[in-house]
Amino acid sequence: MTHAMLRIVAIDDNADNLLAVVAYIKDILPGARVFTAQTGRAGIALARAYDPDILLLDITMQERDGYEVCRELKGDPILQIIPVILVTPRNSERTAKMRGLEALGDAFLSRPFDEAEFITQIRAMARIKAANRRDHEERGRLSEVSPERREEQESERWFRSLFRNINEGVAIHEIVTDEMGNPIDFVFLAVNPTYERICGLHAADILGRRGLDVIPMLEKRWIDLYGKVAQTGEAICITDHSDYLDRYWEVKAFPLGPNLFGVALHDITEQKNADDARTGARRELRFILDTVPALVWKKDTEGRYLIANTRYCEVTGLAEEEILGRTDHEIFPQTIADQYLRDDQVVMRSEKALRNREEIHRKESGEVGWSLTDKIPWYDAGGSVAGTIGFAIDITERKQAEEELHETKERFDSLFNRSLDCVYIHDFEGTFIDANPAACELLGYSRKDLPTISFSSFIGGDQLVKAEELTRRIIDIGTHEGLIEYRLQTKSGDCIDIETKGSLITRDGEPVAILGIARDITERKRAEHALRESEEKYRLIAENTADNIWIFDMDFRLQYISPSVLKMKGFTVSEALAQTVPEMMTPSSYTSLLQRFAEEMEREATGTADPNRTVTFETEEYCKDGRTILVENATRLLRDEEGRPVGILGISRDITERKRAEEALHTANKKLQILSGITRHDILNKIMGLGGFIWLTREEGLNQQQAIYLDEIEKIIKAIERQIEFTRTYEEPGVQMPTWNTLTDIINEGDDSPIPIRYECTNYLVRADPMIGKVFANLMENTIRHAEGATWVQIHCMEQNSDLVICWEDDGIGILDDQKEQIFERGFGNNTGFGLFLSREILGITGIVIRETGVHGKGARFEITVPDGGWQRGEER
């Protein structure tokens, strides 16, 4: 059958594949007619309409795969005679061919097609179609034969036709065994023409003979394999090389009965050589791709990566398996992937290369890189655009250098124009070339005036000589050591002080100008002068004050002590500096000091302590004459620039006499308290006796006027009793030393009122007279007695500047504006009139102030202001 007479139906759901097949067939089989379909149903309809000689069927179709379509074709009585060539992907698994045989496929071709194999298969299938047609016609003529005989004849014809025309070499053998049943040889029973051709043997010469007689160099492993098939009934399919024929074979051995087996040989030498050549070429191509410094990749029309060389993987930071089969949108950020896709589509639509395109790529680590890219289209076997190939050079370092250069220029311009320091450039004669705005503003000249201005416009005499010498030094060595100070006269006539540093500007290794940076130090000079004066004043104060000023480092080594130590303790400065801390004070004071220092360091470690806090404590210290004195110390930490403690600054004062006076005062107060108590007791006894006499007088009977007099006398007695009771209460404040107490403890001390208290203060500590609890008790009593309708009391705290403000509020009617001060006066009110008066007195002992700030009609509000030094946060205790 000539090519012009061939009719071929190709079925594939990929339009590009069909176009490639049509172009391929027309190229190698001119004149053949090709009909195409993209579904199995359409392909079967074409087969019915055109009765093709061959049907090419792709096995990987999505809706119905090739196996299912093949089974339908072979199940049709009319269409079953059409040979079906199943088209498989390259390197498809053996199971694919096994499934094809199960679906009654006649042959296989792998894509991309090998031309020689393609033509051979087409021709063989065309012969099979002709034979099938003849058999079909013969079956029609034999339709009158008995069904049993007809079936037998038909099977025989099928077998003979298949045996004769199959393009594989087929031989039928009988296994030969030894007396133990081990296979030792086989006998040729039948061979087909293809077997004769590919093996170079003739049936007349080999039938009935043993294999080793025909092929003396036959490897024993073949006999073992064939024996296993004949004896176990298990078929095998292997690919191997025959040393005897120096050919590669695909060998299928299958059982036919007891000790009988068949062998089908398919010569794959050309295919194997072609595969090896292609593999070698691919290996060489891959070596080249992975060696070149450029990035190389290949994509299909849908943008899926088919190839990515080593350099591409290195630059993107991805492994090859993370790239192949994926699209840019699965690898790169959206914006980058969109740009890549647009470029690819332009190349494929226009079929023109895209050259020198700068593109951004981003690694999975997030690092950004740049590539100089070329993209070209590539074509399939049918000449259609099948995707794009890209080549790129990583220009990240070049782009970074360009960006750094640009940033450096911008940074220099920004520094030059925005610097608070004066930046200027002048020639070797001292004439200005350029200066930044800060320099122009300092000197009083505009930038356009600079070319007419030189050093002599600002300085003269020795200063000008110094500037000229400095210029020569910079020209000789490129710079100068340290900062140079000048005193300049500006355009307005003002004199200013500057410090400057100069360096040489070169071009191509030749000096061209001098760059200088100057700073106005006029204020610093004034400050330094003022500081020297201040230091002298403070030195005089330190050396002449009665208090002792000292500095310890963090290891308790004395670094400084003022001369007043001689007057306080009898030691000279050098003697005091030589002492250790245990030599300065009693053991109990030293132990207490170490404990207090440890507590302060713990607070320091929390990072929440006030860095400017002052810590006050008392010590008992030794004098040179052996006496001990009581010393009050006020200390704070010295810190470096980063805020870390580097030392302790302290001021000490001898409070021995003050302590004695306080103890004497305390003793005197105690005696007065005893005397007052005795006197108060005697007066109350007399009042009690007077009350008894009044009662007796009433019992004897009185006229109306006398009864009125007695009532008045009783009122006077009651007033005297209140006055006496007030003296008892008023003598207690100030008797004991102030103590530190938490607000929580103070308020809870007397919290037994029927009105609930909402306490919102943190754990503050307050230094006050021990009777401070009486203050809050009086405030609650005041709320109960006078705040009509009050249902709650709220206590909260706030820090204002360095003070602590404690707020007491209720929801009663409040205090009238004209009574806000009167309520603190002694005797004001309907009861004793002593409560708020006494509260103010108790608080006043330690400098605490109380006042009423509420709004009448909205409730009372008492603000208790504790001054700095009289309160602490709880964690600072």
Side-chain angles (χ1 to χ4, degrees):
M1 179 180 291
T2 64
H3 296 166
M5 299 172 62
L6 278 176
R7 293 187 304 276
I8 301 173
V9 170
I11 306 175
D12 195 322
D13 59 0
N14 188 310
D16 292 338
N17 289 346
L18 288 176
L19 290 174
V21 168
V22 171
Y24 190 81
I25 293 175
K26 288 184 176 180
D27 183 54
I28 65 174
L29 300 171
R33 298 183 63 190
V34 183
F35 307 92
T36 62
Q38 288 189 252
T39 65
R41 179 176 296 177
I44 292 172
L46 287 174
R48 293 186 188 281
Y50 294 103
D51 188 24
D53 300 292
I54 299 124
L55 197 144
L56 292 173
L57 179 57
D58 186 83
I59 68 170
T60 61
M61 295 189 296
Q62 299 297 317
E63 184 178 354
R64 295 177 65 198
D65 61 25
Y67 306 123
E68 186 178 346
V69 176
C70 183
R71 280 192 290 270
E72 183 175 346
L73 284 164
K74 294 301 182 179
D76 190 291
I78 297 175
L79 302 180
Q80 64 183 356
I81 66 173
I82 302 173
V84 177
I85 300 177
L86 296 175
V87 180
T88 65
R90 169 62 66 190
N91 298 326
S92 60
E93 297 180 357
R94 188 176 304 277
T95 55
K97 293 187 177 181
M98 298 296 289
R99 290 186 63 190
L101 291 173
E102 292 173 357
L104 302 180
D106 299 285
F108 301 87
L109 283 173
S110 296
R111 186 183 286 113
F113 303 128
D114 179 81
E115 182 175 340
E117 184 184 14
F118 190 93
I119 294 174
T120 301
Q121 291 277 31
I122 292 295
R123 288 174 177 170
M125 292 302 104
R127 289 197 301 271
I128 291 174
K129 171 62 184 301
N132 289 344
R133 183 174 295 282
R134 287 194 300 270
D135 289 345
H136 184 73
E137 292 171 354
E138 185 177 352
R139 282 197 301 273
R141 290 193 299 271
L142 297 176
S143 59
E144 297 178 0
V145 181
S146 65
E148 294 80 6
R149 178 58 182 160
R150 186 164 56 249
E151 182 178 353
E152 182 181 341
Q153 290 176 343
E154 185 173 352
S155 298
E156 184 178 347
R157 281 194 300 274
W158 271 101
F159 175 76
R160 288 179 179 176
S161 176
L162 179 63
F163 189 74
R164 184 178 59 254
N165 295 297
I166 193 168
N167 63 348
E168 292 184 340
V170 180
I172 298 174
H173 303 285
E174 181 181 6
I175 198 70
V176 178
T177 61
D178 59 16
E179 61 274 10
M180 301 296 294
N182 299 317
I184 58 174
D185 207 341
F186 58 85
V187 178
F188 284 90
L189 301 179
V191 294
N192 70 346
T194 305
Y195 189 93
E196 294 179 272
R197 176 176 54 80
I198 64 178
C199 292
L201 302 172
H202 298 288
D205 298 331
I206 63 175
L207 295 182
R209 297 179 63 190
R210 288 194 175 193
L212 289 174
D213 294 336
V214 175
I215 311 171
M217 299 178 63
L218 181 67
E219 297 95 328
K220 186 178 182 301
R221 60 191 177 90
W222 290 107
I223 297 174
D224 293 338
L225 285 172
Y226 293 157
K228 182 179 179 181
V229 172
Q231 292 176 339
T232 65
E234 296 179 1
I236 62 170
C237 181
I238 62 174
T239 300
D240 206 348
H241 180 265
S242 171
D243 296 335
Y244 166 66
L245 296 172
D246 192 24
R247 309 290 288 178
Y248 286 96
W249 303 97
E250 183 181 70
V251 182
K252 302 173 184 174
F254 46 89
L256 294 174
N259 291 328
L260 296 178
F261 65 96
V263 175
L265 301 178
H266 180 56
D267 187 355
I268 61 171
T269 304
E270 299 302 326
Q271 177 182 338
K272 183 71 167 58
N273 292 337
D275 289 345
D276 290 345
R278 283 192 292 270
T279 300
R282 284 195 296 268
R283 189 179 296 111
E284 291 178 2
L285 177 60
R286 186 69 199 199
F287 176 77
I288 295 172
L289 289 178
D290 290 340
T291 304
V292 296
L295 290 74
V296 183
W297 66 92
K298 182 179 180 181
K299 303 178 190 174
D300 62 17
T301 53
E302 296 180 2
R304 289 189 295 265
Y305 280 87
L306 305 177
I307 295 175
N309 74 339
T310 300
R311 183 57 179 157
Y312 190 94
C313 297
E314 291 174 350
V315 171
T316 59
L318 299 171
E320 186 176 12
E321 57 269 19
E322 297 178 284
I323 299 174
L324 299 187
R326 299 172 69 188
T327 66
D328 290 319
H329 283 88
E330 296 175 282
I331 299 174
F332 300 107
Q334 177 78 28
T335 54
I336 295 177
D338 288 345
Q339 183 60 53
Y340 289 172
L341 179 61
R342 285 193 293 270
D343 291 346
D344 290 343
Q345 290 173 341
V346 168
V347 171
M348 290 188 289
R349 282 197 301 267
S350 66
E351 298 189 34
K352 294 181 180 179
L354 185 68
R355 303 289 186 185
N356 297 324
R357 179 64 174 266
E358 289 189 358
E359 292 184 331
I360 294 176
H361 61 258
R362 187 183 298 274
K363 300 180 182 180
E364 286 202 341
S365 62
E367 185 179 349
V368 174
W370 284 86
S371 301
L372 186 64
T373 304
D374 289 352
K375 293 184 178 180
I376 61 174
W378 67 275
Y379 301 88
D380 60 19
S384 300
V385 174
T388 59
I389 296 176
F391 311 89
I393 299 174
D394 186 5
I395 58 171
T396 303
E397 291 185 0
R398 191 191 80 187
K399 292 291 288 186
Q400 289 175 344
E402 291 174 354
E403 290 176 1
E404 288 175 2
L405 179 61
H406 180 69
E407 290 175 359
T408 299
K409 184 178 182 306
E410 286 189 342
R411 192 180 303 116
F412 175 79
D413 291 343
S414 176
L415 289 173
F416 186 78
N417 293 317
R418 299 182 183 180
S419 174
L420 298 178
D421 289 336
C422 302
V423 183
Y424 57 89
I425 301 173
H426 64 81
D427 61 20
F428 300 138
E429 284 72 39
T431 302
F432 283 90
I433 299 173
D434 197 3
N436 70 341
C440 294
E441 181 180 356
L442 181 67
L443 299 176
Y445 291 91
S446 66
R447 205 164 180 175
K448 64 181 181 180
D449 295 334
L450 293 177
T452 63
I453 303 170
S454 66
F455 288 162
S456 59
S457 303
F458 312 113
I459 57 178
D462 294 340
Q463 295 237 80
L464 183 58
V465 172
K466 183 170 70 170
E468 292 171 347
E469 291 177 351
L470 184 62
T471 299
R472 288 192 293 271
R473 181 173 178 80
I474 293 174
I475 295 173
D476 290 340
I477 66 173
T479 185
H480 62 86
E481 296 180 357
L483 297 171
I484 306 300
E485 294 185 3
Y486 293 101
R487 189 165 182 80
L488 309 180
Q489 187 174 26
T490 65
K491 185 178 181 180
S492 63
D494 296 331
C495 290
I496 59 173
D497 294 298
I498 68 166
E499 61 182 13
T500 183
K501 175 82 173 179
S503 59
L504 191 65
I505 300 175
T506 61
R507 184 180 296 119
D508 298 328
E510 296 295 324
V512 293
I514 292 176
L515 170 70
I517 300 177
R519 178 174 297 170
D520 183 1
I521 59 171
T522 306
E523 293 301 321
R524 192 184 78 189
K525 285 285 190 179
R526 293 172 183 166
E528 288 173 352
H529 178 72
L531 179 61
R532 285 193 295 272
E533 293 183 345
S534 176
E535 287 176 346
E536 181 63 23
K537 292 177 182 178
Y538 284 115
R539 185 182 64 79
L540 291 173
I541 293 173
E543 292 179 355
N544 293 281
T545 182
D547 291 336
N548 189 20
I549 302 172
W550 45 263
I551 297 175
F552 278 98
D553 63 16
M554 298 303 290
D555 294 323
F556 285 112
R557 290 190 295 264
L558 190 60
Q559 303 297 310
Y560 169 81
I561 193 164
S562 62
S564 54
V565 67
L566 180 63
K567 180 179 179 181
M568 178 183 292
K569 300 172 66 176
F571 295 104
T572 64
V573 170
S574 59
E575 290 172 338
L577 289 173
Q579 287 181 310
T580 63
V581 176
E583 293 173 338
M584 297 179 184
M585 59 187 64
T586 62
S588 60
S589 292
Y590 180 59
T591 300
S592 176
L593 173 66
L594 292 179
Q595 181 179 354
R596 188 61 181 271
F597 180 75
E599 293 173 355
E600 290 300 318
M601 290 301 99
E602 288 178 3
R603 292 167 54 199
E604 190 71 22
T606 65
T608 60
D610 182 3
N612 297 317
R613 65 188 181 278
T614 297
V615 179
T616 303
F617 58 91
E618 295 179 1
T619 54
E620 184 178 3
E621 300 186 13
Y622 298 116
C623 294
K624 190 172 183 178
D625 59 8
R627 294 178 299 109
T628 61
I629 59 174
L630 293 176
V631 178
E632 182 181 65
N633 303 277
T635 64
R636 66 185 304 170
L637 292 172
L638 298 175
R639 301 177 184 273
D640 60 15
E641 294 179 353
E642 297 180 1
R644 294 173 299 196
V646 294
I648 306 168
L649 170 66
I651 300 177
S652 299
R653 175 174 297 174
D654 182 359
I655 59 170
T656 305
E657 295 303 322
R658 191 186 78 188
K659 283 289 186 179
R660 291 172 181 167
E662 289 174 354
E663 290 175 1
L665 179 61
H666 179 70
T667 301
N669 284 337
K670 194 65 178 177
K671 292 178 179 179
L672 288 174
Q673 187 177 16
I674 295 172
L675 177 61
S676 175
I678 295 172
T679 303
R680 188 166 47 248
H681 182 268
D682 291 344
I683 293 174
L684 289 175
N685 285 339
K686 298 299 184 183
I687 289 175
M688 184 179 294
L690 180 60
F693 284 115
I694 292 174
W695 181 78
L696 291 174
T697 303
R698 288 187 184 276
E699 287 295 314
E700 293 180 358
L702 300 172
N703 58 37
Q704 183 177 2
Q705 189 61 42
Q706 289 173 332
I708 292 173
Y709 291 154
L710 287 180
D711 288 342
E712 291 301 321
I713 291 171
E714 285 184 333
K715 289 180 182 180
I716 293 171
I717 291 173
K718 290 293 183 183
I720 293 172
E721 286 178 338
R722 288 197 300 271
Q723 296 288 349
I724 293 299
E725 185 60 31
F726 173 72
T727 61
R728 182 201 305 274
T729 303
Y730 194 69
E731 75 179 1
E732 294 178 5
V735 172
Q736 301 184 50
M737 294 296 295
T739 59
W740 287 95
N741 295 280
T742 66
L743 281 178
T744 303
D745 293 342
I746 295 170
I747 294 168
N748 289 341
E749 179 182 339
D751 183 14
D752 56 356
S753 67
I755 299 178
I757 298 177
R758 297 206 298 258
Y759 181 58
E760 299 177 1
C761 288
T762 57
N763 194 23
Y764 286 101
L765 291 93
V766 175
R767 183 177 181 273
D769 189 273
M771 290 192 67
I772 188 171
K774 186 72 173 176
V775 173
F776 289 95
N778 287 338
L779 291 175
M780 177 55 74
E781 183 180 354
N782 186 74
T783 297
I784 294 171
R785 290 181 178 275
H786 303 295
E788 296 179 7
T791 60
W792 53 261
V793 168
Q794 181 180 25
I795 303 174
H796 59 93
C797 301
M798 52 186 175
E799 298 177 17
Q800 290 183 349
N801 298 325
S802 58
D803 298 335
L804 175 68
V805 178
I806 306 168
C807 296
W808 172 291
E809 295 182 274
D810 62 42
D811 61 343
I813 60 174
I815 309 296
L816 293 172
D817 290 346
D818 59 354
Q819 295 181 358
K820 291 183 182 297
E821 281 300 318
Q822 294 179 8
I823 58 177
F824 295 105
E825 295 177 1
R826 184 163 64 94
F828 181 81
N830 299 325
N831 294 298
T832 64
F834 298 142
L836 292 178
F837 167 75
L838 185 60
S839 296
R840 175 173 278 185
E841 292 295 312
I842 293 171
L843 295 174
I845 292 172
T846 53
I848 302 175
V849 177
I850 183 172
R851 60 195 183 101
E852 206 287 327
T853 61
V855 178
H856 184 257
K858 294 185 178 181
R861 173 187 171 93
F862 291 90
E863 290 186 2
I864 301 172
T865 302
V866 184
D868 183 26
W871 64 276
Q872 294 180 357
R873 296 185 189 90
E875 68 271 13
E876 297 179 3
R877 188 173 184 177

